[in-house]
Amino acid sequence: MTPQPSSYLIGLIGSGIGPSLSPALHEREADHHGVRLLYRTLDLDGLGLGADDVGALVRTARRLGYDGLNITHPGKQAVVPHLDALSEDARALGAVNTVVFDGDGRSCGHNTDWSGFAQSFARGLADAPTRRVVQLGAGGAGAAVAHAMLTLGADRLTLVDTDAGRATELAAALAARFGADRARTAPAGELGALLADADGLVHATPMGMAHHPGLPLPAELLHPGLWVADVVYRPLDTELLRTARAAGCRTLDGGGMAVHQAAHAFRLFTGRTPDADRMLAHMATLVTA
C-alpha cells in the first residue's frame, strides 16, 4: 500500500479572504495527525483578479505543486468548467468548494458545503420546523445549502436572489432532484409576505462578511416565529444574527458549517479522518482570539 504523504500544500481562493480562519483550522487539525500542512490564502482582491481568473489560478496552483484548494466566493461556480473531473455532489450542485489534485496533476472538484451545512443544522436546529423555508441567495453557497435543506426534509424552499435567472436555474435543478413542488422562486418584493408565513430563513449571500457589512433584508421582516441560519462565519456574529436574536428568533451561525465542510475537505486532502468536535473547539478558540 502506498504510504500517505507527510506534508501537504493547500490554498484558499476567494475574494476578501484575509480574515479567513480556514488556514489555522486545517493546520491545527494536521498537527494532531503528526503531519505538516501549509495552508495559504490566494486572495483575488489582493492579486487584482476576479471570478473569471479562478480557472487560471487553479492551473497555476497545480503547476506550483499544491495538493488541493478550497474555493469560496465568487469562484464556486466559475471554477467548474476548468476542472478535469467532478464528484457526484459537485456535478449535481454545479458548485465546487474543494479541489483535489491527484498524483498525475488531474483536478477533481468536490462540494463539502452542503454536507457541512446539513451537519451544522442537525446539531444546532435539530427540532426546528421546516414546513416553509425562505432562502436568500442562489449562488455557489446557495446551491449547496438549498440541497442540504431539501435533503433534511424541508417541505418547500423559496429562493430569492437579485439575479432572477440564477434563482430560476437553481430552482429547476432542485425540482428535478427533489420534486416539482419542493422548490420555487420569488421576487424580493414578496419577501415580507413570504417570511410572515415561513418557519425559517437561510441567508446564503456575501452580505455580512467582513468586506460586505450590513443586513440582507429589512430588520422589520424578522419575527419570533422565525429561525434564522447564516452561512457567513467571519464575522461569526453577523449583523443579521444580532438583529434576529433581538427580534426573538432562534439563530444558527456559520461556524458549524465552516467546520464540518472543512473536516470533509481535510479528509479529501489528506486521506485522514479528522475529529470534528476537536475542530469545533479549535474554531471557538480562534474566534475568541
Side-chain angles (χ1 to χ4, degrees), residues 10-276:
I10 307 298
L12 172 64
I13 295 176
S15 175
I17 55 175
S20 175
L21 299 180
S22 291
L25 197 60
H26 281 261
E27 290 175 354
R28 287 190 178 193
E29 183 60 21
D31 288 344
H32 282 278
H33 292 265
V35 298
R36 180 65 169 152
L37 189 150
L38 297 176
Y39 193 114
R40 297 292 179 255
T41 55
L42 305 172
D43 195 314
L44 295 174
D45 296 342
L47 295 170
L49 302 175
D52 292 341
D53 300 301
V54 170
L57 199 51
V58 169
R59 290 189 291 273
T60 298
R62 174 169 50 191
R63 289 196 299 270
L64 291 175
Y66 277 74
D67 297 292
L69 298 165
N70 282 135
I71 311 291
T72 189
H73 173 78
K76 294 183 181 184
Q77 292 169 316
V79 74
V80 171
H82 302 282
L83 303 175
D84 297 313
L86 296 173
S87 70
E88 184 177 340
D89 289 344
R91 183 177 297 105
L93 294 172
V96 163
N97 77 313
T98 301
V99 177
V100 178
F101 299 119
D102 66 17
D104 297 323
R106 286 175 53 83
S107 57
C108 184
H110 302 262
N111 192 299
T112 69
D113 277 337
W114 86 266
S115 53
F117 181 83
Q119 284 189 266
S120 178
F121 192 92
R123 291 178 69 130
L125 290 173
D127 60 344
T130 56
R131 180 179 53 97
R132 290 188 177 90
V133 178
V134 177
Q135 178 175 307
L136 297 180
V145 296
H147 180 90
M149 285 308 310
L150 292 178
T151 299
L152 289 167
D155 293 329
R156 170 170 286 189
L157 182 70
T158 302
L159 302 170
V160 178
D161 193 282
T162 54
D163 185 334
R166 180 167 64 178
T168 298
E169 184 177 347
L170 176 57
L174 292 168
R177 291 199 299 275
F178 294 98
D181 60 339
R182 302 282 302 281
R184 57 173 289 232
T185 66
E190 295 182 12
L191 198 53
L194 288 169
L195 290 177
D197 191 40
D199 295 311
L201 169 68
V202 178
H203 173 240
T205 85
M207 184 67 72
M209 292 174 63
H211 284 222
H212 301 276
L215 276 176
L217 78 171
E220 58 269 21
L221 299 186
L222 301 172
H223 58 84
L226 197 67
W227 54 259
V228 176
D230 202 340
V231 304
V232 174
Y233 82 95
R234 194 63 169 165
L236 198 60
D237 193 26
T238 62
E239 186 175 347
L240 172 62
L241 294 181
R242 293 193 299 272
T243 305
R245 286 196 301 272
C249 304
R250 293 177 62 187
T251 61
L252 179 70
D253 64 51
M257 176 182 175
V259 168
H260 287 294
Q261 69 81 18
H264 297 170
F266 183 89
R267 183 183 294 109
L268 290 168
F269 291 144
T270 69
R272 293 167 169 84
T273 301
D275 185 324

